[in-house]
Amino acid sequence: MKIKSADFVMSNSNVTNCPKDHLPEYAFIGRSNVGKSSLINMLTQRKGLAKTSGRPGKTQLINHFKINENWFLVDLPGYGYARVSKKDKKTFQKYITDYFLERLQLVCAFVLIDIRHEPQKVDLEFMEWMGENQIPFCIIFTKADKLRPKAIENHVNDYINKLLEGIWEEAPIYFITSSTSGIGQEELLNYIDGLNEGFFKETL
Ligand code: GDP
């Protein structure tokens, strides 16, 4: 897929205010600093589309971008636990869970993981929550330029094995990317292109 246009549409903190267009939508989410803004800019080839590094105000919003006039890329806030009851039960921020539970146009979410890090509890629990709620997602490993090819292979295998030791019977689809080198860009855009085709066929 070639990116012909990438336009900021709106930011808001409530799924009910998201754009009403019936277009396929893809959400990008991960812990802060995982490289999400850099990846979005790399994918869309627009340097300043998503704001990189430390814009605290903007990070708590659901940000919609319209790509090629026919799909939405959604930049979601970094996730973390929110305490919801006296018993100290933890869940993820409500506007994030509401978004996933209510946004019917969502075709696939991309959960970003820094390829250098050991599996973190919050990421594993978030993916578990997605699975329990039947939200389709893929993993995007970021910052692959920081490791040599053999180490990339080892880290990815370790990560996937960790998922399979847990609740997963099947490994999720994953992509290996680097915003610095552009690794993974074409593969990811082609994947979205294929899903878009399916979306439009179904809605014909
Ligand atoms: P966000 O908080 O998830 O949006 O992360 P940013 O995109 O702001 O990136 C966080 C930090 O990681 C910044 O210092 C980026 O320059 C760096 N970074 C992001 N992606 C890459 C990458 O692919 N390779 C390298 N080497 N650094 C990256």
Side-chain angles (χ1 to χ4, degrees):
M1 184 197 317
K2 256 200 145 68
I3 303 292
K4 292 175 227 138
S5 63
D7 302 304
F8 171 73
V9 180
M10 64 158 73
S11 294
N12 71 81
S13 59
N14 191 327
V15 62
T16 54
N17 297 331
C18 287
K20 304 283 181 271
D21 319 40
H22 193 64
L23 291 177
E25 185 158 311
Y26 302 87
F28 290 72
I29 191 161
R31 280 182 295 132
S32 68
N33 241 20
V34 69
K36 179 165 52 73
S37 310
S38 306
L39 181 87
I40 291 171
N41 292 340
M42 180 275 263
L43 274 182
T44 56
Q45 295 145 23
R46 303 291 189 280
K47 254 190 177 168
L49 195 65
K51 306 288 179 241
T52 45
S53 297
R55 276 277 204 94
K58 281 275 170 198
T59 58
Q60 297 302 306
L61 294 169
I62 302 167
N63 302 293
H64 273 77
F65 300 94
K66 197 181 257 185
I67 313 295
N68 292 351
E69 298 292 333
N70 78 338
W71 59 279
F72 283 120
L73 183 160
V74 181
D75 181 4
L76 288 175
Y79 55 66
Y81 296 117
R83 293 184 189 283
V84 289
S85 77
K86 282 180 193 153
K87 285 182 187 158
D88 252 1
K89 191 170 174 278
K90 289 187 294 182
T91 184
F92 298 98
Q93 298 97 314
K94 189 169 177 338
Y95 55 92
I96 293 180
T97 51
D98 282 353
Y99 169 84
F100 284 115
L101 296 174
E102 291 174 31
R103 191 69 176 156
L104 299 177
Q105 296 94 324
L106 183 80
V107 176
C108 182
F110 293 103
V111 178
L112 275 60
I113 301 290
D114 187 322
I115 199 164
R116 298 167 301 170
H117 297 166
E118 296 284 309
Q120 308 277 309
K121 200 168 171 226
V122 68
D123 294 321
L124 297 174
E125 289 188 1
F126 183 71
M127 288 189 259
E128 197 174 324
W129 182 89
M130 296 285 273
E132 280 166 6
N133 290 285
Q134 301 182 333
I135 317 286
F137 73 91
C138 299
I139 294 179
I140 294 182
F141 290 103
T142 61
K143 309 189 187 181
D145 59 285
K146 299 240 189 193
L147 296 179
R148 292 173 186 279
K150 190 69 198 159
I152 291 178
E153 196 185 319
N154 290 340
H155 279 233
V156 169
N157 285 342
D158 288 351
Y159 206 98
I160 298 298
N161 286 336
K162 179 85 186 175
L163 290 180
L164 294 175
E165 276 169 20
I167 63 159
W168 302 97
E169 283 172 16
E170 216 181 300
I173 291 175
Y174 64 84
F175 297 88
I176 294 167
T177 67
S178 159
S179 303
T180 319
S181 74
I183 293 170
Q185 192 226 27
E186 207 180 327
E187 205 186 346
L188 200 45
L189 288 178
N190 287 342
Y191 183 71
I192 292 174
D193 212 11
L195 293 177
N196 281 345
E197 264 182 41
F199 179 95
F200 288 116
K201 255 187 210 150
E202 260 177 39
T203 54
L204 269 183

